[in-house]
Amino acid sequence: MAKVTLKGLTKIYGKNTVVDHIELTVENGTLVSILGPSGCGKTTTLRMLAGFELPDDGEVLFDDEPVGNVPVNKRGIGMVFQSYALFPHMTVFQNVAYGLEQRKIPKQDIEPQVMEALRTVHMADFRDRKPSQLSGGQQQRVALARALVIKPRVLLLDESLSALDKKLRVEMQTELRRILEETHVTTFFVTHDQEEAMTLSDTIVVMHDGKIEQMGTPREVYEKPKNRFVADFLGKANFFEGIVTETGEGTVTIDTGNEKITIPADGAEAGEKVLYAVRPEKVKVFEKSEKPAGRTGIDGSADRFVYKGNITTCTVDSGSMSILSEMNSGDERKDAGRNAEVFVTWEPEDAIRLEE
Amino acid sequence: MKVNKKSAMTWPAMLMLLCFTLIPLLIMFETSFRSDETGTLTLENYKKFFTNFMYIKLTGSTLLMSLLVTVISLLIAYPLAYIMAKKLKGLKNVILVLTIIPFFTNQLVRVYSWLIFLQDGGILNRLFMSFGLAENGLGILYTRAAVVIGLTHAFFPYMVVTIYMALERMDDSLIEASMSLGASKWTTFKDVIFPISMPGVMSGVTIVFVPCLGSFVEPRILGGVNGTVIGTVIEDQFFQLYGWNFGAAIAFVLFALVLIFMGAFGALGRRWETE
Ligand SMILES: Nc1ncnc2c1ncn2[C@@H]1O[C@H](COP(=O)(O)OP(=O)(O)OP(=O)(O)O)[C@@H](O)[C@H]1O
Ligand SMILES: [Mg+2]
């Protein structure tokens, strides 16, 4: 329910700049996922948004108002902690009612609101239990209900669905999306799970060493990663790096330092230093005998084809590099046996030119 | 037969308890029902206690004194434990050592230090007099106040430790969760921090209150004629008057009181149980 702006937000612990001049504007009602490796500053960023930590530089604005002087309990945030932080001496009901009581809501209005919130997270039957009598996933859902029931302006979720099993997690994701669309609350969602970030968010922010590497819609970030870090962190990628020696019709020849290879790619000129990323699902594998005439690609030998349910993967060894391919398991395809001689290729537009 | 083997390991401890705690206690219990003159079984010792208003009054004033020591200890111990556990994460070991120094000092040394400190020519009096705050000295020694000071000093460190442990165990994100839900600092303390530390508070209260009830060294040395409490009466019976049977009877009345209070404190602590 608020537009959130981070202006040059910085946090320094001792000598470590943990969050490094972050610039970010999040429109009202948007769900932003913050994605990044462990220790990159995700929790610290959330804690500054909440007001638990004061920034060493820069500021946080809600609806263009700086909130630097607004204490935590007046910021109108809802937070789900990495450790859930349910009050151990209170029942599930009392935990969820706590925030409403602070808002001086009349007693008779509290009960229906609490029960409504508990129903949303499928925990209504557990209202009289103590947190110690709940599983990790159930505790997480109570924590979510407790944060949502106060109708916060900004909702902060720190790996809030990580303890749930796959099925329940997907269910909660759908539920969360529905609740957020209804309540229109601006949400920051910290997660390690890129698939979760993809399905849930309007915007993905990829963080690394306290800096934002890239932000955009899930599609933008996945299909147009800016650099090696983002391409590698979100999904998998095959990288080709070197100096361009020659370009052709949809082909680029690169001197990698060890050898010269010609790959399907566009958008480079001779003499340039380039880095291309190719997503494994774009890499097509052909048996040598079926190699399409006139196409550019790389010869190699395939190790075992690994069946992984919906996809089948295969690593092709060209002698100097290995290329990962992911194919739909459903596709009609002859399983070239172990160490088969193969040929891999992709469309020139599937080679993404990265900054570095 | 595995169960038996394991329980065999507890036998030495059980034997110790039996020989050195339970048997003497039973002997004392039996003693309390013996007549002083005839040595026959009788209820007269208990009757003597409950029919003499002086003893009842003394019990009451001892309870009151112990309660006062407990409350003062709590008022000192809680803030100290809180600051140690939640604020001064670096300095806490220094303070912890300072507070538990009384643990390691001999009881008599400690009590006589207070005697010297509080007496008329002592530091405290001279300090007050030099500032013109008390013309003829405070006259604090040999009063109930001196006893309360001595007992508080002796027992509050135990309370610091139990409360400190309860607060230290507590996850800081609970405090943050409470703040994020809109609670003020005071509400957070009242509704989250204090209730969660309650088991520690209750064991601290028990650990201070119970020994105060039976104390006799501090009351005797620091309280003088004003220091008569149940503990000194029992001691007198055993060591001055050779009224062992009556002394044992008073001791068991006190024992019953202790059990009642421990039960009450326990029940109070369980109200905040997290299970
Ligand atoms: N109070 C603190 N004092 C000193 N360093 C800290 C403090 N809190 C966090 N850090 C450091 O700041 C860095 C970022 O921490 P943060 O908790 O924000 O990481 P994160 O991205 O949330 O990681 P994770 O995914 O593991 O939860 C880490 O290197 C951490 O060690
Ligand atoms: Mg974290």
Side-chain angles (χ1 to χ4, degrees):
Chain A
M1 287 202 267
K3 173 182 160 195
V4 177
T5 314
L6 309 184
K7 267 196 197 158
L9 199 66
T10 301
K11 184 77 204 176
I12 301 166
Y13 286 122
K15 287 201 184 100
N16 298 336
T17 306
V18 173
V19 175
D20 196 356
H21 295 91
I22 284 191
E23 300 284 343
L24 181 64
T25 301
V26 177
E27 291 305 329
N28 189 359
T30 313
L31 195 156
V32 185
S33 286
I34 304 180
L35 206 57
S38 183
C40 71
K42 304 182 296 289
T43 299
T44 309
T45 306
L46 277 202
R47 292 176 58 78
M48 284 192 282
L49 269 165
F52 294 128
E53 305 283 354
L54 292 179
D56 290 306
D57 195 14
E59 56 182 356
V60 178
L61 299 94
F62 287 2
D63 286 331
D64 299 321
E65 297 278 331
V67 291
N69 294 323
V70 183
V72 180
N73 55 345
K74 299 272 186 285
R75 277 199 192 183
I77 51 145
M79 180 145 182
V80 180
F81 291 79
Q82 214 162 352
S83 60
Y84 322 139
L86 294 178
F87 305 128
H89 58 303
M90 296 184 195
T91 62
V92 165
F93 184 93
Q94 289 167 329
N95 263 282
V96 179
Y98 190 84
L100 296 174
E101 283 160 8
Q102 308 310 322
R103 282 162 178 71
K104 306 271 177 290
I105 289 176
K107 265 233 156 59
Q108 69 272 20
D109 297 344
I110 289 183
E111 163 128 21
Q113 289 185 40
V114 171
M115 290 319 289
E116 168 67 32
L118 285 177
R119 269 192 294 276
T120 333
V121 296
H122 307 301
M123 288 297 292
D125 293 342
F126 297 86
R127 56 172 286 174
D128 294 322
R129 293 253 194 119
K130 289 275 177 75
S132 60
Q133 300 163 323
L134 301 176
S135 75
Q138 291 167 337
Q139 291 182 29
Q140 213 161 40
R141 284 186 276 160
V142 176
L144 191 58
R146 186 177 68 174
L148 280 170
V149 78
I150 56 174
K151 304 202 167 53
R153 300 167 73 192
V154 179
L155 181 64
L156 306 171
L157 306 170
D158 197 347
E159 314 214 6
S160 298
L161 305 180
S162 57
L164 307 180
D165 64 51
K166 185 95 186 159
K167 186 168 168 290
L168 200 55
R169 178 148 30 131
V170 172
E171 203 177 307
M172 291 304 294
Q173 285 168 4
T174 320
E175 221 25 79
L176 196 62
R177 263 282 26 147
R178 182 184 66 72
I179 296 164
L180 298 180
E181 262 150 35
E182 263 174 28
T183 54
H184 228 68
V185 50
T186 313
T187 305
F188 286 79
F189 187 83
V190 165
T191 177
H192 271 127
D193 182 344
Q194 45 148 316
E195 196 186 321
E196 185 167 87
M198 293 274 179
T199 40
L200 217 50
S201 11
D202 302 307
T203 306
I204 289 184
V205 173
V206 182
M207 270 183 82
H208 181 214
D209 275 347
K211 296 194 187 69
I212 294 183
E213 293 284 347
Q214 188 174 357
M215 61 178 287
T217 63
R219 181 179 286 273
E220 277 166 9
V221 178
Y222 186 78
E223 294 188 355
K224 297 269 175 288
K226 266 194 195 150
N227 54 31
R228 184 191 281 264
F229 178 82
V230 177
D232 208 23
F233 192 77
L234 270 176
K236 299 182 197 116
N238 298 298
F239 294 104
F240 303 94
E241 186 173 19
I243 311 282
V244 179
T245 56
E246 235 177 285
T247 58
E249 188 71 21
T251 66
V252 172
T253 305
I254 301 171
D255 182 355
T256 63
N258 300 328
E259 54 168 355
K260 281 186 180 176
I261 51 165
T262 305
I263 57 165
D266 283 326
E269 280 167 31
E272 267 189 299
K273 196 172 178 299
V274 290
L275 172 61
Y276 283 105
V278 180
R279 295 286 186 199
E281 67 271 19
K282 307 288 190 189
V283 177
K284 296 187 191 73
V285 182
F286 294 94
E287 267 188 84
K288 204 113 199 209
S289 54
E290 294 173 354
K291 179 173 170 175
R295 279 194 69 171
T296 309
I298 295 169
D299 293 311
S301 68
D303 73 350
R304 212 157 56 83
F305 282 73
V306 183
Y307 177 78
K308 290 184 173 169
N310 56 339
I311 59 163
T312 300
T313 68
C314 157
T315 311
V316 176
D317 188 359
S318 77
S320 57
M321 65 179 78
S322 64
I323 297 157
L324 180 69
S325 167
E326 281 180 8
M327 298 148 276
N328 275 332
S329 293
D331 287 357
E332 196 75 29
R333 175 176 39 75
K334 266 188 252 153
D335 196 337
R338 221 187 165 115
N339 295 325
E341 290 297 306
V342 293
F343 170 78
V344 294
T345 187
W346 54 87
E347 299 302 324
E349 64 267 25
D350 291 333
I352 312 157
R353 175 100 188 252
L354 305 178
E355 279 173 4
E356 66 193 69
Chain B
M1 285 291 111
K2 261 186 188 158
V3 181
N4 277 346
K5 257 189 201 157
K6 263 190 193 156
S7 66
M9 288 173 64
T10 66
W11 289 354
M14 290 297 183
L15 201 70
M16 284 273 287
L17 267 176
L18 193 72
C19 289
F20 301 116
T21 311
L22 213 57
I23 292 177
L25 212 61
L26 285 173
I27 293 172
M28 272 278 278
F29 196 54
E30 197 247 15
T31 309
S32 75
F33 289 103
R34 292 276 173 203
S35 159
D36 257 343
E37 286 109 47
T38 59
T40 51
L41 284 174
T42 170
L43 279 175
E44 71 184 28
N45 299 316
Y46 287 94
K47 216 167 123 195
K48 183 172 165 192
F49 181 88
F50 284 109
T51 49
N52 191 329
F53 186 63
M54 192 193 81
Y55 293 123
I56 305 287
K57 214 174 103 183
L58 212 54
T59 310
S61 71
T62 307
L63 278 174
L64 222 61
M65 178 193 75
S66 306
L67 201 68
L68 190 64
V69 172
T70 309
V71 170
I72 295 174
S73 295
L74 186 61
L75 291 179
I76 300 172
Y78 204 102
L80 196 61
Y82 182 79
I83 288 168
M84 263 167 22
K86 298 294 173 205
K87 302 282 176 203
L88 297 174
K89 306 237 158 168
L91 268 169
K92 67 182 174 193
N93 288 331
V94 181
I95 305 182
L96 198 63
V97 169
L98 284 178
T99 36
I100 61 178
I101 280 176
F103 280 157
F104 302 115
T105 38
N106 178 284
Q107 187 189 27
L108 285 175
V109 172
R110 199 178 55 229
V111 176
Y112 279 109
S113 316
W114 277 111
L115 184 78
I116 294 165
F117 186 73
L118 298 175
Q119 69 192 352
D120 281 347
I123 304 168
L124 192 69
N125 269 302
R126 273 189 281 168
L127 212 66
F128 268 76
M129 279 158 79
S130 67
F131 283 110
L133 290 168
E135 263 173 47
N136 306 315
L138 288 168
I140 201 172
L141 191 63
Y142 305 129
T143 64
R144 273 294 224 248
V147 180
V148 169
I149 291 174
L151 286 173
T152 306
H153 180 232
F155 295 122
F156 93 91
Y158 295 94
M159 193 132 70
V160 175
V161 172
T162 60
I163 297 174
Y164 170 77
M165 289 197 306
L167 288 171
E168 176 67 25
R169 263 201 309 273
M170 187 181 141
D171 184 359
D172 284 357
S173 63
L174 293 174
I175 300 171
E176 295 180 346
S178 169
M179 300 289 286
S180 79
L181 290 165
S184 64
K185 282 199 169 137
W186 166 245
T187 311
T188 300
F189 177 77
K190 178 172 70 72
D191 290 347
V192 176
I193 301 173
F194 191 69
I196 292 175
S197 67
M198 210 53 195
V201 169
M202 275 305 144
S203 35
V205 162
T206 315
I207 274 182
V208 172
F209 187 78
V210 169
C212 274
L213 276 184
S215 65
F216 60 89
V217 175
E218 285 88 352
R220 174 144 293 156
I221 298 174
L222 299 174
V225 284
N226 294 311
T228 310
V229 288
I230 284 293
T232 58
V233 171
I234 297 173
E235 201 219 356
D236 281 343
Q237 291 298 328
F238 276 91
F239 297 107
Q240 311 288 322
L241 310 170
Y242 297 97
W244 286 30
N245 305 91
F246 184 48
I250 311 176
F252 271 96
V253 173
L254 193 65
F255 189 56
L257 268 175
V258 166
L259 289 183
I260 290 169
F261 274 98
M262 280 177 67
F265 293 150
L268 217 58
R270 269 193 299 282
R271 271 191 54 194
W272 281 275
E273 222 166 67
T274 53
E275 294 303 310

PDB file of all heavy atoms in Angstrom, chain B residues 123-135:
ATOM      1  N   ILE B 123      32.249   3.154  57.629  1.00  0.00           N
ATOM      2  CA  ILE B 123      32.376   4.037  56.469  1.00  0.00           C
ATOM      3  C   ILE B 123      31.062   4.727  56.123  1.00  0.00           C
ATOM      4  O   ILE B 123      31.009   5.938  55.922  1.00  0.00           O
ATOM      5  CB  ILE B 123      32.842   3.233  55.234  1.00  0.00           C
ATOM      6  CG1 ILE B 123      34.146   2.506  55.557  1.00  0.00           C
ATOM      7  CG2 ILE B 123      33.029   4.154  54.034  1.00  0.00           C
ATOM      8  CD1 ILE B 123      34.532   1.470  54.524  1.00  0.00           C
ATOM      9  N   LEU B 124      29.991   3.947  56.105  1.00  0.00           N
ATOM     10  CA  LEU B 124      28.709   4.481  55.669  1.00  0.00           C
ATOM     11  C   LEU B 124      28.265   5.638  56.560  1.00  0.00           C
ATOM     12  O   LEU B 124      27.883   6.699  56.075  1.00  0.00           O
ATOM     13  CB  LEU B 124      27.657   3.375  55.674  1.00  0.00           C
ATOM     14  CG  LEU B 124      26.357   3.730  54.965  1.00  0.00           C
ATOM     15  CD1 LEU B 124      26.579   3.834  53.467  1.00  0.00           C
ATOM     16  CD2 LEU B 124      25.282   2.703  55.272  1.00  0.00           C
ATOM     17  N   ASN B 125      28.376   5.411  57.874  1.00  0.00           N
ATOM     18  CA  ASN B 125      27.968   6.451  58.807  1.00  0.00           C
ATOM     19  C   ASN B 125      28.810   7.703  58.675  1.00  0.00           C
ATOM     20  O   ASN B 125      28.300   8.816  58.668  1.00  0.00           O
ATOM     21  CB  ASN B 125      28.077   5.927  60.232  1.00  0.00           C
ATOM     22  CG  ASN B 125      26.761   5.312  60.661  1.00  0.00           C
ATOM     23  OD1 ASN B 125      25.749   5.991  60.645  1.00  0.00           O
ATOM     24  ND2 ASN B 125      26.786   4.039  60.978  1.00  0.00           N
ATOM     25  N   ARG B 126      30.100   7.493  58.565  1.00  0.00           N
ATOM     26  CA  ARG B 126      30.980   8.662  58.466  1.00  0.00           C
ATOM     27  C   ARG B 126      30.694   9.445  57.188  1.00  0.00           C
ATOM     28  O   ARG B 126      30.711  10.667  57.172  1.00  0.00           O
ATOM     29  CB  ARG B 126      32.444   8.223  58.506  1.00  0.00           C
ATOM     30  CG  ARG B 126      32.947   8.118  59.960  1.00  0.00           C
ATOM     31  CD  ARG B 126      34.419   7.898  60.022  1.00  0.00           C
ATOM     32  NE  ARG B 126      34.725   6.515  59.747  1.00  0.00           N
ATOM     33  CZ  ARG B 126      35.944   6.050  59.499  1.00  0.00           C
ATOM     34  NH1 ARG B 126      36.972   6.877  59.444  1.00  0.00           N
ATOM     35  NH2 ARG B 126      36.149   4.778  59.278  1.00  0.00           N
ATOM     36  N   LEU B 127      30.395   8.714  56.155  1.00  0.00           N
ATOM     37  CA  LEU B 127      30.073   9.349  54.877  1.00  0.00           C
ATOM     38  C   LEU B 127      28.830  10.221  55.015  1.00  0.00           C
ATOM     39  O   LEU B 127      28.818  11.389  54.633  1.00  0.00           O
ATOM     40  CB  LEU B 127      29.828   8.256  53.821  1.00  0.00           C
ATOM     41  CG  LEU B 127      30.219   8.593  52.396  1.00  0.00           C
ATOM     42  CD1 LEU B 127      31.729   8.769  52.294  1.00  0.00           C
ATOM     43  CD2 LEU B 127      29.761   7.498  51.448  1.00  0.00           C
ATOM     44  N   PHE B 128      27.779   9.636  55.606  1.00  0.00           N
ATOM     45  CA  PHE B 128      26.526  10.377  55.775  1.00  0.00           C
ATOM     46  C   PHE B 128      26.723  11.585  56.687  1.00  0.00           C
ATOM     47  O   PHE B 128      26.203  12.655  56.434  1.00  0.00           O
ATOM     48  CB  PHE B 128      25.434   9.462  56.336  1.00  0.00           C
ATOM     49  CG  PHE B 128      24.625   8.809  55.252  1.00  0.00           C
ATOM     50  CD1 PHE B 128      25.150   7.746  54.545  1.00  0.00           C
ATOM     51  CD2 PHE B 128      23.360   9.280  54.934  1.00  0.00           C
ATOM     52  CE1 PHE B 128      24.417   7.159  53.538  1.00  0.00           C
ATOM     53  CE2 PHE B 128      22.627   8.686  53.919  1.00  0.00           C
ATOM     54  CZ  PHE B 128      23.154   7.631  53.221  1.00  0.00           C
ATOM     55  N   MET B 129      27.503  11.366  57.770  1.00  0.00           N
ATOM     56  CA  MET B 129      27.699  12.448  58.726  1.00  0.00           C
ATOM     57  C   MET B 129      28.523  13.572  58.112  1.00  0.00           C
ATOM     58  O   MET B 129      28.240  14.745  58.327  1.00  0.00           O
ATOM     59  CB  MET B 129      28.362  11.922  60.001  1.00  0.00           C
ATOM     60  CG  MET B 129      27.345  11.272  60.928  1.00  0.00           C
ATOM     61  SD  MET B 129      28.085  10.122  62.079  1.00  0.00           S
ATOM     62  CE  MET B 129      28.740  11.251  63.297  1.00  0.00           C
ATOM     63  N   SER B 130      29.519  13.239  57.318  1.00  0.00           N
ATOM     64  CA  SER B 130      30.370  14.274  56.735  1.00  0.00           C
ATOM     65  C   SER B 130      29.584  15.129  55.746  1.00  0.00           C
ATOM     66  O   SER B 130      29.913  16.270  55.496  1.00  0.00           O
ATOM     67  CB  SER B 130      31.593  13.653  56.059  1.00  0.00           C
ATOM     68  OG  SER B 130      31.187  12.906  54.950  1.00  0.00           O
ATOM     69  N   PHE B 131      28.538  14.569  55.186  1.00  0.00           N
ATOM     70  CA  PHE B 131      27.698  15.374  54.297  1.00  0.00           C
ATOM     71  C   PHE B 131      26.545  16.011  55.060  1.00  0.00           C
ATOM     72  O   PHE B 131      25.654  16.599  54.455  1.00  0.00           O
ATOM     73  CB  PHE B 131      27.140  14.512  53.156  1.00  0.00           C
ATOM     74  CG  PHE B 131      28.168  14.233  52.096  1.00  0.00           C
ATOM     75  CD1 PHE B 131      28.690  12.953  51.949  1.00  0.00           C
ATOM     76  CD2 PHE B 131      28.624  15.246  51.257  1.00  0.00           C
ATOM     77  CE1 PHE B 131      29.643  12.701  50.976  1.00  0.00           C
ATOM     78  CE2 PHE B 131      29.576  14.980  50.289  1.00  0.00           C
ATOM     79  CZ  PHE B 131      30.093  13.709  50.151  1.00  0.00           C
ATOM     80  N   GLY B 132      26.547  15.820  56.376  1.00  0.00           N
ATOM     81  CA  GLY B 132      25.498  16.402  57.201  1.00  0.00           C
ATOM     82  C   GLY B 132      24.138  15.767  56.991  1.00  0.00           C
ATOM     83  O   GLY B 132      23.105  16.373  57.257  1.00  0.00           O
ATOM     84  N   LEU B 133      24.132  14.552  56.479  1.00  0.00           N
ATOM     85  CA  LEU B 133      22.850  13.909  56.198  1.00  0.00           C
ATOM     86  C   LEU B 133      22.276  13.210  57.427  1.00  0.00           C
ATOM     87  O   LEU B 133      21.091  12.949  57.503  1.00  0.00           O
ATOM     88  CB  LEU B 133      23.010  12.897  55.048  1.00  0.00           C
ATOM     89  CG  LEU B 133      23.263  13.532  53.671  1.00  0.00           C
ATOM     90  CD1 LEU B 133      23.689  12.481  52.676  1.00  0.00           C
ATOM     91  CD2 LEU B 133      22.030  14.279  53.185  1.00  0.00           C
ATOM     92  N   ALA B 134      23.131  12.868  58.355  1.00  0.00           N
ATOM     93  CA  ALA B 134      22.661  12.212  59.573  1.00  0.00           C
ATOM     94  C   ALA B 134      23.555  12.672  60.717  1.00  0.00           C
ATOM     95  O   ALA B 134      24.737  12.391  60.716  1.00  0.00           O
ATOM     96  CB  ALA B 134      22.738  10.691  59.412  1.00  0.00           C
ATOM     97  N   GLU B 135      22.939  13.382  61.677  1.00  0.00           N
ATOM     98  CA  GLU B 135      23.743  13.999  62.722  1.00  0.00           C
ATOM     99  C   GLU B 135      24.371  12.986  63.664  1.00  0.00           C
ATOM    100  O   GLU B 135      25.552  13.037  63.952  1.00  0.00           O
ATOM    101  CB  GLU B 135      22.889  14.986  63.529  1.00  0.00           C
ATOM    102  CG  GLU B 135      23.061  16.412  63.035  1.00  0.00           C
ATOM    103  CD  GLU B 135      22.095  17.349  63.721  1.00  0.00           C
ATOM    104  OE1 GLU B 135      21.988  17.273  64.967  1.00  0.00           O
ATOM    105  OE2 GLU B 135      21.451  18.143  63.010  1.00  0.00           O
TER     106      GLU B 135
END
